[in-house]
Amino acid sequence: MAIKAFTDQWDNRLHSGDIAWTRNRLEFGVNHGAFYVGYIQRYDYTLRFNDETAALYYREENDLAYPEGDVPVSLHAWHSRAQGVKFAWHWQPFPGLSVQPSLSLLNGWEFQDGSLQGFLRHQDDALTGQADLVYRYTDDLLLDHQFDKPAGRGFALDLLLRWQVDQHSAELEIQDLYGRLRWRQAPYTFGKFNTVDRGASDIVRLDPAFSGARSTEDYLQRLPAYVTGQYRWQRENWQWQLNAELFLSRLWLRPGVSWSAKPGNPYLGYEVRDGQWVLGIQDDEKRGFLQFGSDTWSLEDARSLTLRLGYQYQW
């Protein structure tokens, strides 16, 4: 489904799929020699679901006929938003190879980590069913749990490797190679409910009976690793590239080419898995770059979007 429709009224065509995710980084920093220090802000969200859950929700939002019988429901939501300071150190063990580890000290703003497993059926003009809920949060989006907002503290380790020999170069970056956020006295709700009623527009009610436990405790949130790789081969005025992206056990590959004889080194790439075309420019000193990608020219219908913008000043 298109991203705009997914975050709005689900009024676009429903495609097959079992995951929706976004990773966003805003970073400002300075380099001095081999050292780097900067400010970083992070916003990550992941939804995993089965086809039946997506199809049922789509039918509900678009007033379509419900399927017969019990519908298995599986949904897991994970979210993390944090800010902090980032430190990095650039090291060249021998010519052609550079290593850059980095450490981000993070202050957590908000998080969600929960799963819903069970079944639903359409009965007597309402959705009913039974499901198990395991839910941790800074804002309760289901049962309106009132509490003092918890504080989150943590860190993330990243690693960047670069290699170059003659016309060949490669890069491997692992974000959140090891990352944790500890939330002090984070609220949680564990339990079971036996009826889901979505009769009111845009409102989720767990009714009539919910049994379980609700309290607060310290919680350690793990940050999933995100891996990117790039291989480049310079051939006269053309640089041929192959980019790879690994996240949540899924691999995306994007072959592409840039024309170094033209101002801005224009780049064109095609991501195979999502069918996304990527356009980019970069200055000759490789200090600034801009990339934008989409799987369709109509952004309202886009199911996959990429935006990368950066500039580096060194003294």
Side-chain angles (χ1 to χ4, degrees):
M1 176 171 290
I3 296 173
K4 183 178 183 299
F6 186 88
T7 58
D8 193 7
Q9 299 296 325
W10 279 57
D11 54 358
N12 202 291
R13 178 186 174 188
L14 181 65
H15 298 264
S16 62
D18 59 0
I19 188 172
W21 61 276
T22 180
R23 281 179 64 90
N24 304 274
R25 298 291 184 272
L26 176 65
E27 186 173 339
F28 301 97
V30 292
N31 285 290
H32 183 65
F35 297 96
Y36 169 89
V37 61
Y39 165 81
I40 185 171
Q41 189 175 137
R42 308 158 45 110
Y43 183 96
D44 301 329
Y45 216 119
T46 301
L47 283 176
R48 302 191 197 188
F49 43 83
N50 59 0
D51 288 336
E52 293 84 354
T53 301
L56 184 64
Y57 189 81
Y58 180 79
R59 289 173 178 270
E60 169 70 16
E61 290 296 299
N62 291 277
D63 297 324
L64 300 176
Y66 293 98
E68 298 291 336
D70 293 343
V71 178
V73 173
S74 177
L75 176 66
H76 182 262
W78 186 95
H79 167 54
S80 175
R81 185 182 181 190
Q83 66 172 349
V85 59
K86 182 176 180 179
F87 303 94
W89 175 55
H90 179 84
W91 173 49
Q92 190 169 6
F94 53 82
L97 177 66
S98 66
V99 181
Q100 181 175 299
S102 62
L103 169 66
S104 297
L105 303 178
L106 301 173
N107 176 33
W109 282 348
E110 57 188 35
F111 86 97
Q112 300 277 319
D113 196 350
S115 64
L116 186 68
Q117 306 284 338
F119 72 89
L120 296 175
R121 73 170 68 93
H122 186 248
Q123 180 177 324
D124 299 328
D125 295 326
L127 284 175
T128 65
Q130 295 179 355
D132 295 316
L133 177 68
V134 177
Y135 187 31
R136 300 179 185 270
Y137 42 83
T138 49
D139 295 293
D140 187 356
L141 304 180
L142 292 179
L143 297 172
D144 195 26
H145 184 188
Q146 301 298 317
F147 51 86
D148 293 330
K149 194 166 185 177
R153 299 289 187 274
F155 68 94
L157 294 174
D158 302 338
L159 180 64
L160 176 61
L161 303 175
R162 289 192 176 102
W163 168 84
Q164 183 169 358
V165 174
D166 299 326
Q167 293 83 22
H168 304 273
S169 61
E171 183 176 297
L172 175 68
E173 182 177 15
I174 308 175
Q175 296 181 6
D176 298 339
L177 175 65
Y178 188 86
R180 299 290 187 270
L181 277 172
R182 180 173 294 278
W183 298 88
R184 299 298 303 272
Q185 293 302 300
Y188 66 82
T189 300
F190 301 156
K192 183 186 294 288
F193 60 88
N194 63 9
T195 299
V196 176
D197 182 3
R198 289 187 52 85
S201 176
D202 298 326
I203 296 177
V204 178
R205 292 192 307 164
L206 306 186
D207 183 54
F210 178 85
S211 59
R214 168 185 286 176
S215 187
T216 61
E217 66 179 8
D218 290 353
Y219 176 60
L220 186 65
Q221 185 182 32
R222 291 170 171 80
L223 307 179
Y226 174 77
V227 183
T228 60
Q230 184 181 70
Y231 168 75
R232 298 179 294 268
W233 175 43
Q234 187 71 41
R235 180 71 173 176
E236 296 179 347
N237 293 327
W238 300 91
Q239 185 181 83
W240 302 92
Q241 302 181 16
L242 177 63
N243 290 267
E245 185 177 12
L246 179 64
F247 185 56
L248 300 176
S249 302
R250 287 166 170 80
L251 178 65
W252 290 264
L253 294 175
R254 188 181 78 229
V257 61
S258 64
W259 193 2
S260 56
K262 292 294 182 180
N265 301 288
Y267 167 84
L268 175 65
Y270 180 75
E271 196 284 304
V272 180
R273 187 187 189 105
D274 293 337
Q276 183 185 112
W277 288 98
V278 179
L279 303 174
I281 55 174
Q282 184 178 49
D283 68 303
D284 293 336
E285 290 77 22
K286 298 183 179 180
R287 291 184 177 178
F289 67 89
L290 170 65
Q291 282 191 353
F292 176 78
S294 174
D295 60 339
T296 176
W297 292 110
S298 174
L299 296 185
E300 287 194 354
D301 297 325
R303 299 167 55 204
S304 176
L305 287 173
T306 297
L307 176 62
R308 298 179 66 238
L309 173 66
Y311 181 80
Q312 184 181 71
Y313 176 74
Q314 195 167 7
W315 83 93

